[in-house]
Amino acid sequence: MATPFDRIAALRGQLAQAGLQACLVPTADPHLSEYPPEHWLNRTWLSGFDGSAGSLLVTADFAGLWTDSRYWSQAQTQLQGSGITLMRAGAPDVPDLQDWVVSHLQPGAALAVDGRVLDRAGAQRWQRGLAAADIQLVLDQDPVGAIWADRPALPTAAVFEHLPPHACRTRADNLSAVRAAMHDLGADYHLLSTLDDIAWLLNLRGADVDYNPVFLAHALLDASRVRLYIAPNKISADLAARLAVDGVDLCDYTALAADLSRLPVDAPVLVDPVRVTAGTLVHAPQLRLLEAINPSQLLKSVKNTAEADNIRQAMAQDGAALCEFFAWFEAALAAGQTLTEIDVDTHISAARARRPGFVSLSFSTIAGFNANGAMPHYRATESAHATIQGDGLLLIDSGGQYLGGTTDITRVVPVGTPSAAQRADYTVVLQAHIALARAQFPVDTPSSTLDALARQPLWRQGLDYGHGTGHGVGYFLNVHEGPQTIAVRAHARPHQGMQAGMLTSNEPGLYREHQWGIRIENLVLAVPVRATAFGDFLGFETVTLCPIDTRCVVPERLSADELAWLNTYHQQVRERLLPLVDGAARDWLLARTEALG
């Protein structure tokens, strides 16, 4: 069986044959999905590194993987023996990927990247940077595809309709809202390639991408019709008829390029430059592109009242599932059963599957004991996982897709007796979590600026964490959704202002490499709290319902306000979940929601 070392060697041979000096392999597909289908896992197939973010660069004498701090430990392990150098993106001694290319390739060299998987804005940045160094960017070749003989086929799962009472907006209303935005921008057409936007727009869902209920498609809107480019047989005749009533015409997935080429010269087409690929647009040089964020990104990020109510119900079902899991887990440990990180994934998934409205997991469960918990995106496998025994901390980050909402929650629980240092770290992370949960801020506050509120308790002790504090969450859609992002290193942009109805994660953390990791995550809904002479102010309603383990807390380190927040939250969790659990799960819930202090 070919190894990553063998595949890199084959790729170098392909580059030499094509007269190319380098190849860039990003983590993406033609829809710029966070979790591409297996057919588009080029970087994973080449390198053996299966984290969800990273770019691989291969030249005749160098191969390097650029990935951020969430994946450094994982990549260090998975790249062993591949000949690929881990480039710790963001570290002070590691050059930016484009800077490395400019400083190492000779003038006249050619860098290939499959334009079908490179966003338009990224392609423009690369072209500007490389042109100054007389390096050519080649977007019309696929060197990886040329050597991937047994490449998996594209997925063929059927598409289904998201229906009331869980679908709280009509397809006609969604289309009308997007068309109003098109009109305001002066666009006759609007091209969509991002799968969450298309699924939301048309009230459709699928199973082409792991964990995200979406399907492979493109969509082209004009003032009255929608052309949905999708593989044949994925939509039933009955559903096709209902779509036709709303002006949706089905076209073959491969027909987009020809249709774009036939649009009128200088036709104004709205595209989001970070959500459509350069390769998709290469077929339509005659168009006049209007660049702006997809209107659907903003529209779907603000959940309406009915959606918010459904989300609360989904959170309650999810919380009940977690009560069942944790009751089983603690009883199994007390009985002396040998448990592994794999068992955590198996049993927590089974508990969710028993809840009404459950469809699938919303991402691959992270269960990391002690040192494994220090890797924010660690994933246990059958060949590499830990047994949960002795003293320490178990971090569990998990979530579910329900017809009425998407969940994402992280809890850390003690195994045996946690150390004083672990309890101190846990307490300061809890303080960070509470700081953001209690925040109040004006409407339209750039989401990135809220990040510092969570980090203050950690910064005061000289501590920090490498990931963002919060991401938007979809409504039975992608667990990671824009446009809002609570991240200290994110650039504040006008469309990232916080609005009432936005659902966002609150997940500060602290990681001691090779020792333990702590992250406490709830989902929070932005809600109006007051109107003053200085404007309208928002706050957060915590909608995730699951006890935060108090056995790791150092109570005397909490302020009176922090203690009050924690006890009030646990009272709400108890009241909401008691009607949904019984037996051991009920007993566990009562014990873990006892007031502290």
Side-chain angles (χ1 to χ4, degrees):
M1 179 180 293
T3 65
F5 184 89
D6 299 328
R7 290 166 180 165
I8 295 295
L11 179 60
R12 287 184 170 127
Q14 179 65 29
L15 295 178
Q17 181 178 337
L20 301 166
Q21 283 66 53
C23 179
L24 173 63
V25 187
T27 305
D29 66 4
H31 309 279
L32 301 170
S33 307
E34 179 181 12
Y35 302 106
E38 193 175 1
H39 177 88
W40 291 105
L41 294 179
N42 298 17
R43 187 263 298 153
T44 299
W45 179 79
L46 269 174
S47 68
F49 167 66
D50 61 5
S52 65
S55 295
L56 177 66
L57 179 73
V58 178
T59 71
D61 55 8
F62 173 80
L65 175 81
W66 273 257
T67 192
D68 63 67
S69 62
R70 296 171 297 168
Y71 300 99
W72 289 348
S73 295
Q74 176 185 347
Q76 189 69 50
T77 298
Q78 293 184 328
L79 294 179
Q80 289 181 9
S82 66
I84 299 170
T85 300
L86 171 59
M87 305 295 285
R88 299 171 183 259
D93 59 337
V94 175
D96 173 79
L97 176 53
Q98 188 174 118
D99 291 342
W100 191 98
V101 170
V102 168
S103 63
H104 285 78
L105 294 191
Q106 298 297 314
L111 168 69
V113 55
D114 186 350
R116 295 175 297 173
V117 301
L118 183 64
D119 66 279
R120 172 176 169 80
Q124 291 172 331
R125 286 193 302 272
W126 275 99
Q127 285 168 333
R128 288 192 299 268
L130 297 185
D134 191 25
I135 298 171
Q136 180 186 4
L137 182 67
V138 178
L139 297 175
D140 60 354
Q141 294 198 37
D142 178 18
V144 179
I147 65 169
W148 194 352
D150 56 349
R151 189 173 193 166
L154 291 173
T156 58
V159 171
F160 61 96
E161 196 166 11
H162 195 211
L163 296 168
H166 300 109
C168 304
R169 316 184 203 203
T170 68
R171 186 159 39 239
D173 286 344
N174 292 346
L175 288 167
S176 177
V178 169
R179 286 187 172 118
M182 290 170 56
H183 178 270
D184 291 344
L185 292 166
D188 290 347
Y189 300 91
H190 177 31
L191 174 62
L192 282 171
S193 290
T194 36
L195 306 183
D196 56 327
D197 286 306
I198 295 170
W200 175 87
L201 179 71
L202 300 177
N203 276 0
L204 300 176
R205 299 295 188 267
D208 283 350
V209 178
D210 287 344
Y211 312 117
N212 295 337
V214 295
F215 52 94
L216 299 187
H218 300 275
L220 183 63
L221 288 71
D222 60 27
S224 61
R225 308 295 298 180
V226 181
R227 300 180 215 176
L228 180 63
Y229 297 89
I230 189 167
N233 304 318
K234 290 177 72 70
I235 291 181
S236 68
D238 288 345
L239 178 52
R242 291 194 295 276
L243 289 169
V245 170
D246 288 320
V248 180
D249 304 316
L250 301 186
C251 306
D252 191 273
Y253 182 71
T254 61
L256 175 63
D259 282 1
L260 288 176
S261 70
R262 286 193 288 264
L263 292 181
V265 173
D266 287 332
V269 179
L270 172 61
V271 297
D272 188 331
V274 300
R275 293 181 176 88
V276 66
T277 70
T280 299
L281 294 170
V282 74
H283 305 287
Q286 84 282 10
L287 301 178
R288 179 163 60 91
L289 300 181
L290 306 177
E291 296 190 352
I293 188 172
N294 288 338
S296 46
Q297 283 282 306
L298 299 167
L299 292 164
K300 68 185 174 65
S301 71
V302 176
K303 279 59 177 177
N304 63 29
T305 301
E307 289 167 340
D309 288 341
N310 284 343
I311 288 167
R312 294 182 184 101
Q313 294 178 39
M315 295 293 172
Q317 293 296 339
D318 204 59
L322 291 167
C323 289
E324 293 180 6
F325 164 76
F326 280 117
W328 165 83
F329 176 76
E330 291 186 15
L333 279 184
Q337 291 187 34
T338 299
L339 300 179
T340 70
E341 296 164 338
I342 297 291
D343 294 321
V344 170
D345 185 8
T346 300
H347 285 267
I348 207 168
S349 299
R352 282 194 167 97
R354 291 191 288 269
R355 306 312 301 186
F358 177 80
V359 176
S360 73
L361 300 184
S362 56
F363 56 95
S364 180
T365 298
I366 299 168
F369 184 55
N370 281 344
N372 290 340
M375 295 182 277
H377 280 231
Y378 167 78
R379 182 166 60 87
T381 65
E382 290 293 344
S383 60
H385 61 266
T387 298
I388 302 168
Q389 60 186 4
D391 296 328
L393 299 177
L394 173 65
L395 183 152
I396 305 173
D397 188 350
S398 65
Q401 294 283 7
Y402 296 82
L403 292 172
T406 301
T407 73
D408 183 1
I409 175 174
T410 306
R411 289 294 183 264
V412 173
V413 296
V415 176
T417 304
S419 69
Q422 289 170 333
R423 294 182 69 215
D425 281 356
Y426 185 97
T427 303
V428 73
V429 172
L430 175 59
Q431 290 175 306
H433 180 93
I434 294 172
L436 184 57
R438 297 179 64 231
Q440 294 187 12
F441 44 90
V443 171
D444 277 331
T445 295
S447 54
S448 59
T449 64
L450 301 178
D451 188 277
L453 301 178
R455 291 182 196 264
Q456 277 301 307
L458 290 144
W459 285 351
R460 283 195 293 266
Q461 297 185 32
L463 305 171
D464 203 1
Y465 50 96
H467 56 75
T469 302
H471 56 82
V473 178
Y475 179 69
F476 185 35
L477 270 175
N478 294 1
V479 73
H480 296 145
E481 175 181 277
Q484 78 274 26
T485 178
I486 301 176
V488 70
R489 295 175 181 84
H491 298 294
R493 296 182 173 89
H495 58 260
Q496 291 180 326
M498 292 299 297
Q499 305 292 328
M502 284 183 165
L503 183 66
T504 311
S505 68
N506 172 6
E507 50 180 310
L510 180 57
Y511 309 93
R512 306 278 188 181
E513 192 170 6
H514 306 306
Q515 297 182 71
W516 61 78
I518 298 164
R519 185 166 63 254
I520 299 174
E521 177 186 16
N522 286 334
L523 299 189
V524 293
L525 188 70
V527 295
V529 293
R530 71 181 70 190
T532 75
F534 296 93
D536 296 329
F537 283 74
L538 302 174
F540 286 130
E541 173 194 346
T542 296
V543 292
T544 298
L545 298 170
C546 181
I548 296 170
D549 205 305
T550 58
R551 292 173 293 175
C552 294
V553 176
V554 183
E556 56 269 25
R557 294 196 177 190
L558 297 182
S559 70
D561 287 343
E562 290 167 341
L563 193 60
W565 181 92
L566 182 61
N567 287 337
T568 299
Y569 173 68
H570 278 154
Q571 181 63 30
Q572 293 169 344
V573 169
R574 177 182 287 196
E575 291 174 356
R576 292 287 307 281
L577 297 188
L578 271 179
L580 301 177
V581 296
D582 54 23
R586 175 186 172 87
D587 294 341
W588 181 88
L589 173 64
L590 291 171
R592 293 288 165 257
T593 53
E594 284 291 329
L596 190 65

